[in-house]
Amino acid sequence: MSMVLKNKCKNVAVSMWRKNMLLLSTSRSLNTLAASFDDNRILKSPTLVSLDFPDVWTCSTANSNQPTPVPKLASEHTAKVIDGKQIAEDIISAVTVQVQRMKKTIGAVPGLGVILVGERKDSQIYVHNKMKACEKAGIKFSLTEFSDKCTDEEVCNAIMRFNADPSFHGILVQLPLPQNLNEEKVLNLLKLEKDVDGFHPMNMGNLAMRGREPLFIPCTPKGCVELLIRSGVEIMGKKAVVIGRSNIVGLPASLLLQRHHATVSIINELTSNPEEITREADILVSAVGVPNLVRGSWLKPGAVVVDVGTHPIEDTSCEQGYRLIGDVCYEEALRVASSITPVPGGVGPMTVAMLLYNTLESARRKYNFI
């Protein structure tokens, strides 16, 4: 047998061994995950640690230069609309059942304390929606409001009161804060075990690191991934593009998609070729709040589009006098994407549902309630 043939056989054997080891590890992880499921599990998303398969590279993985085939869609194609409102209602209903069970069993319910600073209309709407959802689920809700002229000390004192009150298991500071306030100082004061928004540096750091599990994953990115999983979208091995790099959505969304084994690119305001990068995405998450930024020509045919952006535009035909549109030109994207989240009715309700879920989980940990 020639040396060339021997080397070829050796490479094939090593490649097969690596693949088998990866499959074995994956199977063990998934079996462990399946065994941990119980009747009280609400979300479809797995724990992040269960996704930490070993890095096993093969020649075909590392050296493949074959382009990914681009699906060709029929001219009359219309994307599937992902109904975030219905999925969120299902999750909140499941949370409600567990809250009632907790109240009946131990005589306590989860509590959420919210701090709202200023009079931003969008922030007021978001807080109102969270209050209504908590009332529906039976979660204790308390709102502390300040004018936009308040001081850091006033906001910090409110956080300290919620920190010290054992009946509140989650604390949320509605962002963004007015520029005169020190956001870092305010958020760092939150007790880690009550940081249900997931913005504490410890939670963000654990989200970024393999082998670590944050106490809480930020609500909007968590809701985005839950929508993908419940819609049957494969994340592992896919190319994902995140438009925006905010601490609230863009950064944690990119970290969470990486933990689910997507290959992630981040587009920011200084990216020179955003259209070209976006056209490579199997999964696109846009979270910058720029209306109709993403046109149909930016999308790869068959891509999955998650539109996090919200922007009010005047519309006298609507009861509120305005309507919301997203970052993505919805009408154009419908003809190109395979699935898309609408605005409103997509990611927004999921953010609220994840907040209630995180608050329930915090209470469960405190009371050791399974």
Side-chain angles (χ1 to χ4, degrees):
M1 184 181 293
S2 69
M3 184 61 68
V4 173
L5 185 57
K6 284 182 179 179
N7 288 338
K8 185 175 181 181
C9 291
K10 179 181 178 182
N11 288 339
V12 170
V14 170
S15 175
M16 291 300 296
W17 176 81
R18 285 175 170 168
K19 286 181 179 178
N20 288 336
M21 290 301 292
L22 178 58
L23 287 172
L24 179 60
S25 174
T26 302
S27 176
R28 286 174 176 169
S29 297
L30 292 177
N31 286 338
T32 301
L33 175 63
S36 69
F37 276 40
D38 58 33
D39 292 340
N40 299 325
R41 185 169 174 82
I42 295 171
L43 303 186
K44 303 291 185 182
S45 302
T47 61
L48 296 184
V49 171
S50 72
L51 296 171
D52 288 337
F53 310 143
D55 285 332
V56 182
W57 292 80
T58 65
C59 294
S60 59
T61 302
N63 301 323
S64 174
N65 293 317
Q66 296 298 319
T68 303
V70 177
K72 294 182 179 180
L73 304 180
S75 57
E76 68 276 9
H77 167 81
T78 301
K80 171 189 173 185
V81 178
I82 299 174
D83 190 348
K85 185 177 180 180
Q86 182 58 58
I87 294 174
E89 287 178 359
D90 293 343
I91 292 171
I92 292 174
S93 294
V95 168
T96 303
V97 170
Q98 295 307 314
V99 170
Q100 292 171 347
R101 191 172 71 90
M102 179 181 288
K103 183 177 182 179
K104 182 178 180 180
T105 305
I106 63 174
V109 298
L112 176 65
V114 175
I115 296 171
L116 174 63
V117 183
E119 298 181 357
R120 282 181 57 125
K121 191 67 177 177
D122 56 347
S123 292
Q124 291 175 336
I125 292 171
Y126 297 151
V127 169
H128 178 71
N129 290 341
K130 291 165 185 174
M131 180 179 67
K132 285 175 57 180
C134 283
E135 290 174 351
K136 180 179 179 181
I139 292 174
K140 177 181 177 180
F141 182 92
S142 178
L143 174 63
T144 301
E145 296 184 82
F146 295 103
S147 76
D148 54 11
K149 295 181 176 59
C150 72
T151 64
D152 284 343
E153 184 179 7
E154 289 176 291
V155 178
C156 289
N157 285 339
I159 292 175
M160 293 297 290
R161 287 194 293 271
F162 282 131
N163 278 343
D165 191 332
S167 69
F168 289 98
H169 311 90
I171 306 171
L172 181 147
V173 179
Q174 184 63 45
L175 300 178
L177 292 173
Q179 292 186 351
N180 59 299
L181 296 181
N182 186 331
E183 184 174 296
E184 180 181 359
K185 177 183 177 181
V186 168
L187 294 181
N188 283 347
L189 197 59
L190 286 170
K191 267 191 174 182
L192 180 62
E193 61 269 27
K194 296 188 179 187
D195 174 40
V196 289
D197 241 353
F199 295 146
H200 191 285
M202 186 70 75
N203 276 322
M204 292 287 276
N206 284 336
L207 176 60
M209 297 178 67
R210 286 168 56 88
R212 303 288 183 90
E213 190 80 40
L215 281 177
F216 304 103
I217 297 171
C219 299
T220 300
K222 185 173 185 172
C224 292
V225 169
E226 183 73 13
L227 279 179
L228 294 175
I229 291 173
R230 285 179 179 246
S231 300
V233 176
E234 185 178 356
I235 302 175
M236 185 182 297
K238 299 300 182 180
K239 292 181 180 179
V241 171
V242 178
I243 304 179
R245 53 179 173 177
S246 72
N247 290 340
I248 300 173
V249 183
L251 175 60
S254 65
L255 295 174
L256 187 56
L257 287 166
Q258 286 186 71
R259 292 294 296 269
H260 281 261
H261 304 287
T263 301
V264 182
S265 299
I266 302 173
I267 291 176
N268 60 62
E269 65 276 14
L270 301 178
T271 303
S272 59
N273 55 339
E275 302 98 325
E276 181 181 336
I277 296 172
T278 303
R279 273 194 293 269
E280 296 179 354
D282 301 305
I283 300 169
L284 173 67
V285 178
S286 186
V288 288
V290 178
N292 292 331
L293 170 70
V294 179
R295 313 298 302 199
S297 60
W298 286 38
L299 301 176
K300 174 181 178 180
V304 177
V305 178
V306 179
D307 192 350
V308 184
T310 55
H311 183 79
I313 60 172
E314 187 176 346
D315 189 338
T316 55
S317 66
C318 296
E319 183 180 347
Q320 302 91 339
Y322 68 92
R323 61 187 175 89
L324 295 177
I325 62 174
D327 289 353
V328 180
C329 185
Y330 187 71
E331 293 75 16
E332 294 180 9
L334 279 174
R335 299 194 293 268
V336 184
S338 62
S339 301
I340 186 171
T341 61
V343 177
V347 175
M350 289 297 292
T351 300
V352 176
M354 294 300 102
L355 174 64
L356 268 58
Y357 174 83
N358 282 353
T359 303
L360 170 63
E361 287 300 290
S362 180
R364 277 176 162 177
R365 292 188 189 114
K366 177 176 176 58
Y367 299 128
N368 196 26
F369 185 78
I370 300 175

